[in-house]
């Protein structure tokens, strides 16, 4: 089976490489950036245009920033979908609004093309290790058929419901991650201002109920002043805006999500949108003076 | 060395039992509740009054609700401290305001009694397993001398600084735990209202960056409608009030902490103060209608 892969960003590149390593060697890749295509070609993939991908591939994966890009690539003039055969399948691993996932699935269904939405969590490190968590929506039969392919890129592949359920789960994921980052920033800043080494606090609390993947992954970055992405604030703003849209449309209260979105917006206004989302701690450093990095004893 | 142990609540009882199991058999226990003392006596401890504990014990542990109780038991008329010998040590494992820890330490120092503040995280399950996380403040020498004793009750014992630093770390811990609970409640409610099984969402996100001790311990309780404490909302209100006091006195911004405290206060107003802190999800269920328990497919 030929596989198409569109979108070779921070996440897409290592994911496509893991497909190759997993034995899916008949891989056609597309990206607007020539160097990224060349990098995958050196790993064994073939460069291809949308038309070739659409005509030749039994399954097409995308890993793109948001729904406008997915719609453009798939459904725009000369988009991939216009070339896809009935019976072929589209698997969108981008994190987009669940409503957009359902709209795209409905249009593809008219052409006889199936769809799964399969966004991921875990960030670049887990993309590289092939240990991402996939949250999948779509028909059970398609899920079972493509689960082994997804497992070359992820260690957890869970179906949450019909199309859109994957992205709904991803919104839940992004709410938790964002709030956990803010909570960590707030807690470490309090400790620092109270004269206690935030590095020791991090070590002391990590084994208890405060322990989390965010604490383990982002705490050391906050302490080191390392704000290289990782996952950019601009992208987290996109996810939280989608979460608020979804929440308002279904009648779910999200006061904490709304608050952390405001802080991320402030970060973007201050020119930090391209930094890792853990740079949210800069907001607390700005308000309270001083930095976590300077406060450590070692 | 005779050890005194005062406060045999949900946490204190299993912790005292683990001291006995760890080989510290010469244990004198006090509690206002006779049945709790009897339970420990059956395990090998001796019942004692404050005077006996103070006169005979080289080290006295307390595990009490808040600073007024610790001050009353130790420094009140007929309190334990009035009987303690110079060179003996007080180790307070209660979670109290760090300022109160420093006040108590200062008064004990006048009598030649040393002190560590050593609050814990992990809740009843880890108290039973002896895998609590201790956050310790006080002199390095005292810390090293009593670390092996604490290790009979906990698997992580970290010194964060001088007296008060343990409770400052604990405030940081409680901020993170409370915010992570609210984030989880918000995320699962969004998924439920969007028509996606919250149990599947929990499974799908737990392996990624949204994973946390709160998610693993409290998510299943939220899904099952199990709000038995565990850790009571009333006690978490006490900790967050201490966190806000500390934050305001040192100039640390804690907007997210202030918000979750408001929700816990609402829970208490609605008669749920005695429930587990994960019952915060009831606030979201109240606002949005329906329950997580009813929304699962299994």
């Amino acid at each position: 089976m030929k596989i198409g892969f569109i979108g070779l960003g921070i996440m897409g590149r290592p994911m496509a490489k893991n497909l190759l390593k997993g034995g899916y060697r008949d891989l056609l890749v597309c990206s607007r950036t020539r160097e990224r295509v060349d990098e995958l070609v050196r790993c064994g993939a073939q460069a291809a245009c949308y038309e070739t991908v659409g005509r030749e591939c039994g399954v097409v994966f995308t890993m793109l920033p948001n729904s406008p890009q997915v719609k453009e690539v798939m459904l725009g003039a000369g988009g991939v979908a216009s070339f896809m055969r009935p019976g072929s399948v589209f698997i969108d691993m981008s994190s987009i609004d669940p409503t957009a996932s359902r709209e795209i699935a409905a249009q593809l269904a008219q052409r006889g093309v199936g769809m799964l939405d399969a966004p991921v969590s875990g960030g670049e490190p887990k993309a590289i290790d092939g240990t991402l968590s996939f949250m999948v929506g779509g028909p059970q039969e398609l899920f079972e058929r493509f689960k082994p392919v997804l497992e070359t890129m992820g260690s957890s592949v869970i179906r949450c419901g019909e199309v859109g359920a994957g992205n709904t789960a991803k919104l839940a994921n992004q709410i938790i991650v964002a709030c956990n980052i803010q909570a960590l920033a707030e807690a470490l800043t309090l400790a620092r201002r109270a004269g206690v080494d935030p590095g020791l606090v991090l070590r002391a609390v990590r084994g208890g109920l405060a322990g989390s993947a965010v604490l383990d992954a982002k705490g050391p970055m906050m302490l080191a002043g390392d704000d290289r992405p990782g996952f950019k604030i601009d992208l987290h703003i996109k996810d939280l805006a989608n979460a608020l849209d979804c929440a308002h449309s279904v009648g779910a209260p999200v006061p904490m999500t709304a608050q952390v979105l405001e802080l991320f917006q402030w970060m973007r206004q201050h020119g930090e949108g391209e930094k890792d989302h853990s740079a949210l701690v800069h907001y607390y450093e700005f308000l309270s003076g001083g930095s976590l990095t300077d406060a450590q004893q070692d």
Side-chain angles (χ1 to χ4, degrees), chain A:
Chain A
M1 177 181 59
K2 272 193 187 168
I3 295 180
F5 197 108
I6 301 169
L8 300 172
I10 290 177
M11 298 293 286
R13 277 202 302 287
M15 291 167 77
K17 288 177 187 173
N18 281 327
L19 274 174
L20 288 166
K21 283 183 206 157
Y24 296 97
R25 306 290 306 173
D26 218 353
L27 188 68
L28 274 56
V29 297
C30 298
S31 165
R32 286 179 308 182
T33 311
R34 174 65 185 271
E35 294 73 25
R36 295 176 179 179
V37 173
D38 291 346
E39 184 180 335
L40 265 293
V41 168
R42 284 194 296 274
C43 298
Q46 297 169 252
C49 63
Y50 291 167
E51 181 172 345
T52 308
V53 165
R55 286 196 195 286
E56 298 192 3
C57 294
V59 57
V60 177
F61 287 92
T62 49
M63 190 63 187
L64 294 163
N66 201 359
S67 44
Q69 290 82 15
V70 178
K71 286 181 175 175
E72 171 69 21
V73 163
M74 291 303 294
L75 305 174
V80 179
S82 61
F83 305 107
M84 287 175 82
R85 293 168 312 218
S88 61
V89 175
F90 171 52
I91 301 181
D92 182 26
M93 304 184 295
S94 320
S95 293
I96 70 174
D97 188 326
T99 306
S101 296
R102 287 189 288 268
E103 288 168 4
I104 296 165
Q107 293 211 35
L108 293 177
Q110 292 175 1
R111 302 171 170 277
V113 173
M115 174 169 166
L116 297 172
D117 64 317
V120 301
S121 176
E124 189 185 12
K126 294 197 172 195
I128 292 169
D129 294 345
T131 55
L132 291 166
S133 291
F134 279 91
M135 295 150 267
V136 188
Q140 181 76 34
E141 180 274 321
L142 284 186
F143 172 74
E144 282 167 14
R145 193 173 354 145
F146 290 100
K147 191 173 180 223
V149 187
L150 296 175
E151 285 172 340
T152 64
M153 298 177 277
S155 53
S156 167
V157 180
I158 308 277
R159 179 176 177 269
C160 298
E162 299 305 323
V163 170
N167 271 304
T168 303
K170 179 64 190 275
L171 295 181
N173 186 84
Q174 293 302 80
I175 286 173
I176 293 170
V177 171
C179 294
N180 287 13
I181 287 173
Q182 189 180 341
L184 182 61
E186 201 155 308
L188 293 179
T189 300
L190 173 65
R192 173 178 67 79
R193 290 290 302 181
V196 178
D197 182 337
L200 292 174
V201 170
L202 197 75
R203 278 182 59 207
V205 306
R206 73 178 291 274
L209 199 50
S212 69
V214 160
L215 187 145
D216 286 343
K218 303 301 180 182
M221 291 178 70
M222 292 181 185
L223 293 171
D226 176 5
D227 51 24
R228 290 169 297 175
F231 189 76
K232 289 176 187 172
I233 284 170
D234 281 343
L235 284 171
H236 216 143
I237 287 173
K238 177 262 295 181
D239 289 338
L240 296 184
N242 285 338
L244 262 66
D245 283 347
C246 178
H248 298 159
S249 72
V250 301
V254 285
M256 187 175 261
T257 306
Q259 189 191 47
V260 63
L261 176 55
E262 288 301 302
L263 300 201
F264 278 140
Q265 297 278 13
W266 183 91
M267 296 293 297
R268 177 150 74 183
Q269 295 298 328
H270 285 69
E272 307 205 61
E274 295 277 314
K275 293 182 177 168
D276 188 71
H277 46 176
S278 62
L280 184 67
V281 73
H282 296 172
Y283 172 85
Y284 286 89
E285 293 176 337
F286 176 84
L287 288 185
S288 62
S291 80
L292 292 180
T293 310
D294 297 340
Q296 293 162 80
Q297 285 163 11
D298 302 333

